[in-house]
Amino acid sequence: MDQTTTLPLHPKGGDGDMPREDAAAQQPPTAAGGEAPLSKNALKKLAKDKAKAEKAAQRAAQEQAAAQQAAASDTAKHLYGLRPSTEATVETINFTQLTEEQYEKEVTVVARVDSVRLQSAKLVFCGLRQQGKKLQTLISATEPISRQMVKWTGGININSVVQVTGVVKKPEIPIASASAGLTEFELHIRKVYMVAQAAQMLPMQVKDAERPPPESHEEGQVDSKGEPIVTLKTRLDNRVLDLQTETSQAITWISSGVAQLFTEFMLKSGARWIFTSKFTGSATEGGSEVFELGYFKRKAYLAQSPQIGKQMCIAGDMMNVFEIGPVFRAEDSNTHRHLTEFTGLDFERSFQSHYHEVLDFAEELLVFILSELKTRFKDEIAVVQRSYPKAGDFKLPKDGKALRLKYMDGVALLKEAGVDVSEQEKFENDFTTAMEKQLGRIIREKYDTDFYVLDKFPLAVRPFYTKPCPDDPTLSNSYDFFMRGEEIMSGAQRINEAHELEAAMRVKGVDPNGPGFDDYVSAFRQACPPHAGGGLGLNRIVMFFLGLPDIRLATLFPRDPQRLRP
Amino acid sequence: MDQTTTLPLHPKGGDGDMPREDAAAQQPPTAAGGEAPLSKNALKKLAKDKAKAEKAAQRAAQEQAAAQQAAASDTAKHLYGLRPSTEATVETINFTQLTEEQYEKEVTVVARVDSVRLQSAKLVFCGLRQQGKKLQTLISATEPISRQMVKWTGGININSVVQVTGVVKKPEIPIASASAGLTEFELHIRKVYMVAQAAQMLPMQVKDAERPPPESHEEGQVDSKGEPIVTLKTRLDNRVLDLQTETSQAITWISSGVAQLFTEFMLKSGARWIFTSKFTGSATEGGSEVFELGYFKRKAYLAQSPQIGKQMCIAGDMMNVFEIGPVFRAEDSNTHRHLTEFTGLDFERSFQSHYHEVLDFAEELLVFILSELKTRFKDEIAVVQRSYPKAGDFKLPKDGKALRLKYMDGVALLKEAGVDVSEQEKFENDFTTAMEKQLGRIIREKYDTDFYVLDKFPLAVRPFYTKPCPDDPTLSNSYDFFMRGEEIMSGAQRINEAHELEAAMRVKGVDPNGPGFDDYVSAFRQACPPHAGGGLGLNRIVMFFLGLPDIRLATLFPRDPQRLRP
């Protein structure tokens, strides 16, 4: 698909580059990479595009003669082409810095060419894109701009990075295709230079990736408006292009924001930032499957969470710690919310008298993150909602305090709604995903919140290190956090006495003297204060906060059993 | 070694627990776990300890009779023993919150027992330790404190976590064994409860780990003062105890600080926090060896840096990104500064006209981190310097700007000093570690700084993605950062044009169409602005800033070819 472009970088004039109505239109609607046969609509569009291209070629031939004449005396030569090193030192602004005060003034921007439309031989409209935001520019062949310069601009490959100097104008009517905040600006080009040139054929158009991926469509189909459909697979295969959409830009900002807000809150609480090892000598936690690797003639495993490490830090007197890092799960789960690698936000704290001190803390943490996201990333949220409006605004409790229910309250709510929860009542099984989602809907209706906590889970459904409830040994001092009915955090008070831990390990079939666990159990023999903590999934927070249909959309370079690239 | 303790948790009185001069003294000097034969000094100490213990046992026997009598009528029963749940809700303070205003007032603390000294049957001195800080307490058998309570306190296993309520007193002379800031305080115990009990025998004493590990000593030896020597290996084998020392507490705070300052600076610069995948489909970068793992019937590799991922983010229009995460190196290097896993602080930025924009930024970043460490972690630095005074204060350039030299300037300085740099002059090899260290000493002497930058490295010694210098193709637009003569960061402008990158890959024997690289090269075919960046090693920054002799001391749970635990 990729081809080195043929666009001449030095303006020679009259080279007869084929002008075009719309550079994107030159590409067949199967550009997204599918090999499925074309639909009727697609064929229609192809025929239309072909007709356009032929028309354009005719025009080009007519213009060529005139252009060749003018070439020798192109007085605008220095205003376009490959960027001269002197031009690289010119001060530039970002699109977001455009204000009304710049009307009639000259500014310079570096951005991608998003679209090109040849209005005539003398006028070209060129849409620019910078971090997903679109700005309208135009170039018109009036002194000192030459026709050759206009033509060269019209021939720039879509997605190339250019440096444009132009006069800021207020358009007569707001530009519909421009991004929010940029509709009242139009740049009239004075200079245009190539910074980095894109290949003529791209595997996918960024504008096609702006539309949300359909839930069930074959590659190569077109939608009801005749636009090519780009599936999630194609987007992820071409993730670098997909990241350039305004939606992806907003999502990655919000991901960054979640990590920032988590760190801010933890540091303010006096916590220490820790970095535990991802290599362990044993298949830790005895739970879900782990990745095994060769380690200097031995075997090592990738930590499926920082659980062991962060608890050892508490035993090491650190009192209040947090970690941000990759978490590895070798589960062959192929769902909308499972990955083999995700970003874990982990915390662990010792407490004075009751694990609810830590649960209160964790609830405040989440309320802080979610409410600050709404304030600090208002614009980004609005951008994402344009593409994914279905889930609606994320509802936080009105009083600024998390809603906390007991696991058994959740069971009761489901039972009330007619769900068969006999296994859950008998503590034989945790909720199914379907039950969790239904409970989310019931709670939203009843309490008007998308964020809530369930406390006191049955001991049988929790990992071996979970502290049993002192009042009822079939329950445990453990909690899950939910967003829109899906789990984003699991946490608990941990057993902090060696003999109790060893007994609990044996019950779950884990050898307390096995490699990796001996050091862990030793830490408690050497005395460790009572503590509790939790592990959040950053990608899940982003996904459910924004109501995205798939966790891969909330992950830079997602990894699942099928996907190991890019 | 570990034994479940025999200390009764409920005060029964007169149980005849053996009182002791010093609980630690009960343990043989080989407690650190070595099996080497004992030296003369150690035997002497052992004999002395034995004599002490015998004497104590005699005293105990005498006391037992009296204690038994008093047992039935122990009026202080409720003031000690296992912490009642009502006592757990009492408000506690940290040692650092102690002020002169609290003199003669009652406070409650939760801390570890660091030492116990039985002065008489009526008086016990008990040193407490909290996050490495030591506070003196005492318990005296005057109403309402009973002799049984004093005895119970004297029998607490070292390292147990206790809750102590006592009256704050100003000691007549400052307590020499207390930590800085705590020498003017003494707690007179009113209540003492067990929170978490340590085993009687610990594999290592925390106080022995407070002394820096000797450079060459066998386990089980004693030092010139007759104190047992604990080697680095023993400390790392028992890392949880080792983390409890005041020095380790300070080092882990400084590690946390480096990550915090890096994040602060990056976010302030408008950077986005990214999380790239650690699983790659290829042995990336073609450089040092990578870890291979099974991935659902395929093979995957652990990323040896986020290089590919962060460059793809720049190609994805993110402009300014950073990542904090584990970096994996399968190198069989067994040195003081190599690990198989360390914490990478990575950044990458697009620039307008020259890669020095990014180099300036990186220099400001490092100057910010290092100078803020000096301010915000002054106390912690002082604590570490008590144990590791050799390297001295870390010197920063006086004018607050990084010293930047060219690689060739470094070669010239070494040549001037009589070093054979013929291979370096011919660009055949990079500096050796010895050369780097010597250059560090020369620069410290000449420019009075421990932090400096070398720019313009020979192209031949850099990775394939490094941008050649436009003026001299044998050089490159790349730089290394040094602290005390050792490299802490490597960075460069990257090649951002696909055809140039492909050619550079072939020169280094890397297949541009190989798995993992095809997506990378595609990103540049789709156009990517000029950019540069760098990767810092957090552990190295901490190590060289503090002048620690080994990177393992600056790593929570270090991993090297030999070590995979704890």
Side-chain angles (χ1 to χ4, degrees):
Chain A
M1 269 299 194
D2 292 306
Q3 279 181 355
T4 312
T5 178
T6 52
L7 182 72
L9 278 174
H10 283 287
K12 296 185 196 119
D15 253 13
D17 301 334
M18 189 180 74
R20 26 184 164 155
E21 273 284 320
D22 179 340
Q26 289 197 331
Q27 297 179 33
T30 50
E35 288 174 38
L38 293 180
S39 70
K40 233 186 209 172
N41 273 341
L43 287 170
K44 224 159 119 186
K45 190 165 189 298
L46 202 64
K48 209 171 128 194
D49 290 346
K50 205 181 152 200
K52 268 192 200 171
E54 277 165 7
K55 231 170 153 181
Q58 279 175 9
R59 259 205 316 272
Q62 292 160 3
E63 283 167 22
Q64 197 169 357
Q68 268 168 345
Q69 273 192 312
S73 58
D74 185 358
T75 50
K77 255 182 184 169
H78 58 295
L79 300 178
Y80 65 106
L82 190 64
R83 182 174 63 170
S85 57
T86 50
E87 282 294 333
T89 57
V90 169
E91 206 184 319
T92 60
I93 64 161
N94 285 343
F95 287 4
T96 50
Q97 292 171 289
L98 276 171
T99 65
E100 291 185 7
E101 283 167 29
Q102 278 147 330
Y103 284 144
E104 302 306 324
K105 288 184 187 146
E106 213 176 75
V107 299
T108 300
V109 295
V110 172
R112 289 192 190 268
V113 172
D114 187 62
S115 66
V116 179
R117 186 159 55 87
L118 274 79
Q119 193 74 8
S120 72
K122 286 177 163 185
L123 179 64
V124 164
F125 289 98
C126 176
L128 294 184
R129 177 167 36 83
Q130 192 181 64
Q131 299 201 301
K133 303 273 176 220
K134 285 165 199 159
L135 175 71
Q136 174 80 348
T137 75
L138 62 84
I139 181 163
S140 151
T142 46
E143 269 300 313
I145 311 294
S146 63
R147 282 196 177 209
Q148 289 95 324
M149 182 171 167
V150 174
K151 183 192 275 184
W152 184 88
T153 306
I156 294 174
N157 287 344
I158 296 296
N159 229 47
S160 296
V161 179
V162 292
Q163 176 170 319
V164 167
T165 300
V167 178
V168 182
K169 298 273 185 184
K170 186 185 170 104
E172 279 175 35
I173 47 167
I175 312 288
S177 62
S179 293
L182 297 175
T183 56
E184 297 285 348
F185 298 99
E186 192 173 58
L187 215 58
H188 290 207
I189 297 176
R190 291 289 173 91
K191 294 177 190 170
V192 50
Y193 300 108
M194 185 62 73
V195 174
Q197 187 167 252
Q200 204 168 2
M201 295 289 273
L202 299 181
M204 166 178 101
Q205 289 298 311
V206 172
K207 64 171 186 164
D208 293 334
E210 278 289 1
R211 293 185 296 278
E215 277 171 38
S216 62
H217 268 93
E218 291 301 313
E219 199 61 59
Q221 291 191 324
V222 293
D223 65 15
S224 56
K225 288 178 190 161
E227 302 278 6
I229 284 171
V230 179
T231 62
L232 181 59
K233 181 184 176 302
T234 301
R235 289 177 49 174
L236 295 177
D237 284 347
N238 300 285
R239 187 61 165 154
V240 169
L241 287 171
D242 185 47
L243 287 175
Q244 294 172 13
T245 65
E246 193 171 8
T247 311
S248 294
Q249 291 287 320
I251 292 172
T252 51
W253 269 121
I254 290 163
S255 288
S256 172
V258 172
Q260 175 182 358
L261 292 165
F262 176 74
T263 309
E264 237 179 83
F265 189 91
M266 291 308 303
L267 288 170
K268 214 171 168 184
S269 80
R272 218 175 305 191
W273 198 337
I274 58 168
F275 300 92
T276 64
S277 174
K278 302 304 153 209
F279 288 137
T280 69
S282 68
T284 48
E285 297 183 45
S288 39
E289 290 170 63
V290 294
F291 287 105
E292 181 184 297
L293 65 143
Y295 190 89
F296 302 100
K297 292 174 193 160
R298 279 188 283 173
K299 277 178 181 171
Y301 304 87
L302 290 180
Q304 59 193 116
S305 89
Q307 187 64 31
I308 303 285
K310 67 183 183 172
Q311 282 195 263
M312 290 201 290
C313 286
I314 294 299
D317 285 354
M318 293 200 191
M319 285 173 92
N320 184 4
V321 296
F322 71 104
E323 173 151 5
I324 303 173
V327 162
F328 306 101
R329 303 277 164 94
E331 290 170 80
D332 199 359
S333 299
N334 295 277
T335 77
H336 72 296
R337 65 175 195 179
H338 284 93
L339 294 172
T340 54
E341 180 188 359
F342 63 87
T343 302
L345 306 173
D346 270 84
F347 64 92
E348 200 74 23
R349 297 190 64 150
S350 51
F351 61 80
Q352 162 64 2
S353 77
H354 198 280
Y355 79 100
H356 278 182
E357 293 165 36
V358 180
L359 182 51
D360 290 344
F361 171 85
E363 287 174 355
E364 277 168 41
L365 164 68
L366 260 289
V367 169
F368 173 78
I369 291 174
L370 298 173
S371 55
E372 285 297 311
L373 279 181
K374 277 179 176 264
T375 316
R376 300 194 204 175
F377 295 90
K378 209 172 151 242
D379 295 346
E380 285 78 8
I381 293 167
V383 165
V384 178
Q385 282 190 331
R386 273 213 313 273
S387 290
Y388 302 98
K390 210 170 135 189
D393 274 339
F394 188 87
K395 288 193 175 188
L396 274 171
K398 297 267 179 304
D399 59 359
K401 285 193 69 178
L403 171 70
R404 187 191 301 173
L405 301 173
K406 285 190 174 148
Y407 172 86
M408 284 308 295
D409 299 333
V411 173
L413 283 172
L414 284 170
K415 199 174 183 179
E416 240 177 74
V419 181
D420 175 9
V421 287
S422 48
E423 286 181 13
Q424 283 68 31
E425 281 182 309
K426 284 183 272 172
F427 299 162
E428 283 166 1
N429 264 316
D430 199 350
F431 294 128
T432 63
T433 304
M435 285 178 188
E436 285 184 357
K437 284 189 184 180
Q438 186 164 356
L439 184 58
R441 285 190 295 269
I442 294 169
I443 289 177
R444 188 181 226 248
E445 203 157 301
K446 188 164 176 176
Y447 298 99
D448 200 31
T449 177
D450 285 316
F451 168 60
Y452 51 90
V453 173
L454 295 185
D455 190 19
K456 297 276 179 207
F457 273 71
L459 184 63
V461 305
R462 309 296 280 197
F464 66 79
Y465 45 75
T466 310
K467 183 83 179 170
C469 174
D471 310 322
D472 181 349
T474 62
L475 294 178
S476 65
N477 286 356
S478 69
Y479 36 83
D480 275 4
F481 284 24
F482 294 86
M483 286 172 66
R484 299 196 203 258
E486 304 205 49
E487 185 244 310
I488 54 133
M489 188 188 104
S490 206
Q493 176 178 354
R494 327 297 185 177
I495 296 173
N496 69 317
E497 304 232 26
H499 60 92
E500 189 181 348
L501 182 62
E502 286 175 275
M505 287 170 97
R506 286 198 189 93
V507 166
K508 298 262 180 180
V510 181
D511 179 10
N513 302 313
F517 289 121
D518 44 359
D519 290 310
Y520 177 65
V521 177
S522 277
F524 300 102
R525 284 198 198 98
Q526 296 153 13
C528 177
H531 59 287
L536 293 149
L538 179 143
N539 318 62
R540 282 199 183 182
I541 295 177
V542 174
M543 174 191 181
F544 299 126
F545 179 72
L546 294 171
L548 301 176
D550 198 299
I551 196 160
R552 291 159 186 80
L553 294 164
T555 310
L556 261 185
F557 301 109
R559 296 290 182 260
D560 62 35
Q562 266 70 50
R563 178 173 294 282
L564 196 48
R565 59 165 280 258
Chain B
M1 267 300 193
D2 293 305
Q3 278 181 357
T4 310
T5 178
T6 54
L7 182 72
L9 279 175
H10 282 287
K12 295 185 196 120
D15 254 12
D17 301 335
M18 188 180 75
R20 26 186 161 156
E21 274 284 320
D22 180 341
Q26 291 197 329
Q27 296 178 34
T30 50
E35 287 173 39
L38 292 180
S39 70
K40 234 186 208 168
N41 273 342
L43 287 171
K44 224 160 118 186
K45 191 165 189 295
L46 202 62
K48 210 170 128 196
D49 291 346
K50 206 182 153 197
K52 269 192 201 171
E54 278 165 7
K55 230 172 159 182
Q58 277 174 8
R59 259 207 313 274
Q62 292 159 4
E63 283 165 23
Q64 199 170 355
Q68 269 167 345
Q69 273 191 310
S73 61
D74 185 357
T75 50
K77 254 182 184 169
H78 58 296
L79 300 178
Y80 66 106
L82 188 64
R83 182 173 64 169
S85 58
T86 50
E87 283 294 334
T89 57
V90 169
E91 206 182 318
T92 60
I93 64 161
N94 285 343
F95 288 3
T96 49
Q97 292 172 290
L98 276 171
T99 65
E100 292 185 5
E101 284 168 28
Q102 278 146 330
Y103 284 145
E104 303 305 326
K105 287 185 186 144
E106 211 175 79
V107 299
T108 300
V109 295
V110 172
R112 288 190 191 270
V113 172
D114 188 61
S115 66
V116 179
R117 187 159 54 86
L118 274 79
Q119 192 72 10
S120 72
K122 287 178 164 183
L123 180 63
V124 164
F125 289 98
C126 176
L128 294 185
R129 176 165 37 81
Q130 191 181 65
Q131 298 201 302
K133 303 273 176 220
K134 284 164 200 157
L135 176 71
Q136 175 79 348
T137 75
L138 63 83
I139 182 163
S140 153
T142 45
E143 269 298 314
I145 311 293
S146 64
R147 281 195 176 209
Q148 290 96 322
M149 182 171 166
V150 173
K151 183 191 275 185
W152 185 88
T153 306
I156 293 174
N157 288 344
I158 296 296
N159 228 48
S160 296
V161 179
V162 293
Q163 176 170 320
V164 167
T165 300
V167 178
V168 183
K169 299 273 185 186
K170 185 183 169 107
E172 281 175 34
I173 48 166
I175 312 288
S177 61
S179 293
L182 297 174
T183 57
E184 298 286 348
F185 297 98
E186 192 174 58
L187 216 56
H188 289 208
I189 296 177
R190 291 288 173 89
K191 294 178 191 169
V192 51
Y193 300 108
M194 185 61 73
V195 174
Q197 186 167 249
Q200 205 168 2
M201 295 289 273
L202 298 182
M204 164 178 104
Q205 289 298 312
V206 173
K207 63 171 187 165
D208 293 334
E210 277 289 1
R211 296 185 295 277
E215 276 172 38
S216 63
H217 268 92
E218 291 301 313
E219 200 60 60
Q221 291 191 324
V222 294
D223 65 15
S224 55
K225 289 179 191 160
E227 302 279 7
I229 283 170
V230 179
T231 61
L232 181 59
K233 181 183 176 303
T234 301
R235 290 176 48 173
L236 295 177
D237 283 348
N238 300 285
R239 187 61 165 154
V240 170
L241 287 171
D242 185 48
L243 287 175
Q244 294 173 13
T245 65
E246 195 171 7
T247 310
S248 293
Q249 291 287 321
I251 292 172
T252 51
W253 269 121
I254 290 162
S255 288
S256 172
V258 172
Q260 176 181 357
L261 292 165
F262 176 74
T263 309
E264 237 178 82
F265 189 91
M266 291 307 303
L267 287 171
K268 216 172 168 184
S269 80
R272 219 175 304 192
W273 197 337
I274 58 168
F275 301 94
T276 65
S277 175
K278 302 306 154 209
F279 288 137
T280 68
S282 68
T284 48
E285 296 183 45
S288 39
E289 291 170 62
V290 295
F291 288 105
E292 182 185 296
L293 65 143
Y295 189 91
F296 304 99
K297 293 173 193 161
R298 280 188 281 174
K299 279 180 179 169
Y301 304 86
L302 290 179
Q304 61 194 115
S305 90
Q307 187 65 31
I308 303 284
K310 67 183 182 172
Q311 282 196 264
M312 289 202 288
C313 286
I314 295 299
D317 285 353
M318 294 201 190
M319 286 173 93
N320 184 6
V321 297
F322 70 104
E323 174 152 4
I324 302 173
V327 161
F328 306 102
R329 303 277 163 96
E331 290 171 80
D332 199 359
S333 299
N334 296 277
T335 77
H336 72 296
R337 65 174 194 178
H338 283 93
L339 295 172
T340 53
E341 180 189 359
F342 63 88
T343 303
L345 307 172
D346 271 84
F347 64 92
E348 200 74 24
R349 297 190 64 149
S350 51
F351 61 80
Q352 162 66 1
S353 78
H354 198 280
Y355 78 101
H356 278 183
E357 292 165 37
V358 180
L359 182 52
D360 290 345
F361 171 84
E363 288 173 355
E364 278 168 39
L365 165 68
L366 261 289
V367 169
F368 173 78
I369 292 173
L370 299 173
S371 56
E372 285 297 310
L373 279 181
K374 278 178 175 263
T375 315
R376 301 194 204 176
F377 296 89
K378 208 171 151 243
D379 296 345
E380 285 78 8
I381 293 167
V383 165
V384 178
Q385 281 189 332
R386 275 211 314 273
S387 292
Y388 301 97
K390 211 170 135 188
D393 275 338
F394 188 89
K395 289 194 174 188
L396 275 171
K398 298 267 180 301
D399 60 357
K401 284 193 70 178
L403 172 69
R404 188 192 302 173
L405 301 173
K406 284 190 175 148
Y407 172 86
M408 284 309 293
D409 299 333
V411 173
L413 284 171
L414 284 170
K415 199 174 183 177
E416 240 177 74
V419 181
D420 175 9
V421 287
S422 48
E423 285 181 13
Q424 283 68 30
E425 282 182 310
K426 283 184 272 170
F427 300 162
E428 283 166 1
N429 263 317
D430 200 350
F431 294 128
T432 63
T433 305
M435 285 179 189
E436 285 184 355
K437 285 188 183 178
Q438 186 163 354
L439 184 57
R441 286 189 294 272
I442 294 169
I443 289 178
R444 187 181 226 250
E445 204 158 299
K446 189 165 176 177
Y447 298 99
D448 200 32
T449 177
D450 284 317
F451 168 60
Y452 50 90
V453 173
L454 295 186
D455 189 19
K456 296 276 176 207
F457 274 70
L459 183 64
V461 304
R462 308 297 279 196
F464 66 79
Y465 45 75
T466 311
K467 182 82 179 172
C469 175
D471 310 322
D472 181 350
T474 63
L475 294 177
S476 65
N477 286 356
S478 70
Y479 36 82
D480 274 3
F481 284 23
F482 294 86
M483 286 172 65
R484 300 195 202 259
E486 304 204 50
E487 186 243 310
I488 53 134
M489 188 188 104
S490 206
Q493 176 178 354
R494 326 297 185 179
I495 296 173
N496 70 317
E497 305 232 25
H499 60 92
E500 189 182 346
L501 182 63
E502 285 175 276
M505 288 171 96
R506 287 199 188 94
V507 167
K508 298 262 180 180
V510 180
D511 178 10
N513 302 313
F517 289 121
D518 44 0
D519 290 310
Y520 177 65
V521 177
S522 277
F524 300 102
R525 283 198 199 100
Q526 295 154 13
C528 177
H531 59 287
L536 293 149
L538 178 143
N539 318 64
R540 284 200 181 180
I541 295 176
V542 173
M543 173 190 182
F544 299 125
F545 179 71
L546 294 170
L548 301 176
D550 197 299
I551 196 160
R552 289 159 187 80
L553 294 164
T555 310
L556 260 185
F557 301 110
R559 295 291 183 260
D560 62 33
Q562 267 70 49
R563 179 173 293 282
L564 196 47
R565 56 164 284 255

